[in-house]
Amino acid sequence: MTESTTSTVPSTVGVLGGGRMGAGIAHAFLVSGAHVTVVEVDAQAAEAAKERVESDLAKSLERGKIDGNLDVWAENFAVSVDYADFANCELVVEAVPEIWDLKVSSLQEIEANLSEGAWLATNTSSLSVDGLAAQLQRPERFCGMHFFNPVPASKLVEIVIGERTGQELRDLTLQWVAGLGKTPVTVKDAPGFASSRLGVALGLEAIRMVEEGVASAEDIDNAMVLGYKHPVGPLALTDIVGLDVRLGIAEYLEKELGPRFTPPQLMRDMVERGELGKKSGRGFYDYS
């Protein structure tokens, strides 16, 4: 049994950023048959990205999701610290932190190193695809491909179509996502798109309920899991995503859509204390 298919994913894919999301995106394309290059900021970060991707590959092998051995799969994977290594990629997905200036400078640098026929996507979970496209030379070859954490297990990719995204790319993204064995949902560019806007709204209200002493985090989550069939509660999900990440999205949505997205003080306090969720060992739950 194998996750790889005779699919329509690009044969050569680049990923900028090898954190949890970037490594997961790299893994998804690798097991679907692509050659993948991850570019990171320095050698230490590149080595960490290599370890993340190879760990995901090892887990897929252990679970029988892919056949063969790790060395064979790793032959199709490379890490680098040089944007020039994107030159031969058919598609590059940017997966750097949700900081506007960083996104813009990263996308511009990627684009400067791409062939004219290559495609570019951002993994942003909330920032304006149209706004980012306005900073690029070839906006018709750019769109959003919002993957979900953890990427290997998630079956969803949110395709975000900007006003200047070309029809060819709109069609290709649907083929690529199907080739990854995932399901695409297509939305037009709007603050928070569909997934982040709804997910953050639910998460913020759950945090307000904890802040007001309505119920414990566990009871709130159980109400949504058992009563509404959510696979995970909104507070546990906030821990998985990262409170700092969700705070940044909430602040952006507050600016764009108004006070209904104002982050609760409890959320700000937890981020200030370093209680960021699973990655820090503590959020609404203790992971130590």
Side-chain angles (χ1 to χ4, degrees):
M1 183 171 65
T2 175
E3 283 181 359
S4 180
T5 65
T6 56
S7 68
T8 53
V9 299
S11 61
T12 52
V13 175
V15 180
L16 180 66
R20 287 184 304 162
M21 291 302 299
I25 294 167
H27 170 271
F29 280 103
L30 269 169
V31 300
S32 298
H35 289 71
V36 178
T37 299
V38 172
V39 172
E40 259 292 3
V41 65
D42 56 36
Q44 183 177 357
E47 183 60 29
K50 182 174 183 289
E51 292 174 1
R52 289 187 191 100
V53 173
E54 291 185 350
S55 174
D56 283 343
L57 286 171
K59 290 174 184 175
S60 291
L61 285 164
E62 290 171 9
R63 294 167 182 166
K65 299 292 186 179
I66 55 176
D67 297 323
N69 62 69
L70 184 59
D71 290 340
V72 172
W73 285 98
E75 287 177 1
N76 290 333
F77 174 59
V79 294
S80 171
V81 295
D82 190 348
Y83 281 83
D85 288 326
F86 287 144
N88 295 320
C89 292
E90 295 176 38
L91 166 69
V92 175
V93 181
E94 166 273 308
V96 303
E98 295 285 279
I99 301 169
W100 177 261
D101 289 344
L102 177 61
K103 290 280 190 189
V104 170
S105 61
S106 298
L107 288 166
Q108 289 175 337
E109 188 70 19
I110 295 170
E111 188 183 49
N113 285 276
L114 291 182
S115 68
E116 287 191 7
W119 306 99
L120 179 57
T122 175
N123 183 53
T124 184
S125 57
S126 64
L127 299 179
S128 170
V129 168
D130 283 329
L132 294 171
Q135 311 300 315
L136 300 175
Q137 297 298 313
R138 300 190 292 276
E140 73 280 358
R141 305 189 76 82
F142 173 72
C143 71
M145 290 185 72
H146 177 205
F147 290 79
F148 289 76
N149 185 40
V151 177
S154 174
K155 294 298 182 183
L156 175 65
V157 180
E158 187 174 39
I159 304 301
V160 186
I161 302 300
E163 289 185 359
R164 298 176 69 182
T165 302
Q167 186 61 51
E168 185 180 2
L169 181 54
R170 297 179 187 214
D171 296 338
L172 283 171
T173 53
L174 300 179
Q175 297 174 29
W176 295 338
V177 174
L180 295 174
K182 301 183 186 298
T183 299
V185 296
T186 302
V187 302
K188 72 175 185 179
D189 185 39
F193 317 136
S195 60
S196 293
R197 186 164 169 177
L198 288 170
V200 169
L202 180 60
L204 292 177
E205 193 60 31
I207 295 169
R208 292 187 191 101
M209 291 170 69
V210 174
E211 187 175 58
E212 295 166 7
V214 173
S216 67
E218 184 176 11
D219 283 344
I220 292 168
D221 279 353
N222 281 339
M224 300 310 296
V225 170
L226 300 176
Y228 287 84
K229 308 303 182 186
H230 288 203
V232 63
L235 297 166
L237 181 59
T238 298
D239 278 355
I240 293 169
V241 173
L243 273 81
D244 54 336
V245 174
R246 282 212 147 171
L247 175 60
I249 296 171
E251 289 175 334
Y252 170 75
L253 292 176
E254 179 187 21
K255 177 182 175 183
E256 296 295 322
L257 297 173
R260 66 186 186 275
F261 285 98
T262 300
Q265 188 60 43
L266 173 61
M267 189 182 201
R268 296 188 185 278
D269 292 344
M270 291 176 70
V271 170
E272 186 173 344
R273 292 195 298 265
E275 297 172 5
L276 307 181
K278 290 192 74 171
K279 62 186 174 184
S280 70
R282 185 171 184 83
F284 289 99
Y285 298 89
D286 189 346
Y287 302 93
S288 59

